[in-house]
Amino acid sequence: GRWYLLDIDEGRSVVSTFDDKGNPLNIVNRMGRGPKEYLELASFDVCPKTGDLYLCCYPPKVMVFDKDLNFKREIAFENPYFGVAKCDDGLMLYGFTSRDSVGVDYVKLDGSDKPAVKPVKRWHRDSNVAEVMGDNSFMRADKNIYFYTRHCDSLYRVDVASLSLVAAIDYPNRKAIKEYRKNHSIYDLPLAERGQYFLPRVCSVMER
């Protein structure tokens, strides 16, 4: 097995790989403004079948590497995405879909450098950019892929070009917390007061 580490810091955006004993194997470090380069990484996924690495980058594109991190191709997009998941013959992507909405799109990998994007799900963007980028994610569990979003506090299972609702999440003062976070940043509050506006988050899914 291999471990993959996404390392994002000011002026640094790389993916490192390690063997199952923690020994470093290789690194993707292609920061720049040219072809086969990126300014920033947002997320990544590894195809369980091939070991290919899919990097979700800015400017908007997905860069593909083989299991030894040799560059294979890049796929450009118009909208910026923050999440990627390899599924069957395509990609599920999460990010901005317009000025006022975020959502999940499906792209069939047909060999084109700019494949057609199929809308899957849309939510009105009522959160700040940091929450849009950081609080929604694809997760793998066995052979299934799941997607969690705080826009409706729901967990979905990823099917081919679609999302199936698995669970809707509720918690005390949900409406009041959501309303507050629409217009305020919790980081403007004293540290001791932020906890009352924290939101629960699904970080992983385990199947039996």
Side-chain angles (χ1 to χ4, degrees), residues 18-146:
F18 303 84
D19 64 19
D20 55 5
K21 296 181 179 179
N23 299 309
L25 296 174
N26 209 335
I27 189 170
V28 176
N29 185 5
R30 289 175 173 253
M31 295 190 66
R33 298 180 179 273
K36 303 180 183 180
E37 295 178 334
Y38 54 79
L39 292 177
E40 187 176 357
L41 294 176
S43 63
F44 71 88
D45 192 28
V46 179
C47 177
K49 294 181 180 179
T50 66
D52 285 354
L53 176 68
Y54 292 80
L55 297 183
C56 192
C57 315
Y58 186 83
K61 61 183 175 182
V62 170
M63 298 176 67
V64 186
F65 298 80
D66 66 18
K67 63 180 181 180
D68 297 315
L69 301 192
N70 298 306
F71 178 83
K72 295 182 68 173
R73 62 181 295 204
E74 63 180 35
I75 308 162
F77 299 102
E78 292 185 6
N79 295 321
Y81 292 107
F82 313 121
V84 60
K86 177 68 174 70
C87 61
D88 296 323
D89 59 352
L91 299 175
M92 299 295 283
L93 298 157
Y94 166 78
F96 290 121
T97 52
S98 72
R99 178 174 296 182
D100 299 319
S101 69
V102 294
V104 173
D105 291 332
Y106 171 77
V107 173
K108 184 175 181 179
L109 297 179
D110 55 7
S112 170
D113 291 336
K114 291 187 177 181
V117 175
K118 176 184 176 181
V120 175
K121 190 79 173 177
R122 294 288 182 268
W123 296 274
H124 180 71
R125 186 171 74 85
D126 57 2
S127 302
N128 61 48
V129 175
E131 290 186 352
V132 169
M133 292 179 64
D135 292 346
N136 307 270
S137 58
F138 293 102
M139 296 163 280
R140 290 189 177 274
D142 195 21
K143 296 181 180 180
N144 290 318
I145 303 172
Y146 293 86

Side-chain angles (χ1 to χ4, degrees), residues 150 171 177 181 186-187 191 194-200:
R150 279 188 181 161
Y171 44 89
I177 292 173
R181 290 174 69 109
I186 63 171
Y187 300 105
L191 188 60
R194 295 178 189 174
Q196 61 184 314
Y197 297 106
F198 283 166
L199 296 171

Side-chain angles (χ1 to χ4, degrees), residues 153 170-182:
D153 291 308
D170 199 5
Y171 44 89
N173 301 320
R174 178 176 182 268
K175 185 175 180 180
I177 292 173
K178 289 277 190 176
E179 193 63 33
Y180 180 87
R181 290 174 69 109
K182 279 184 183 180

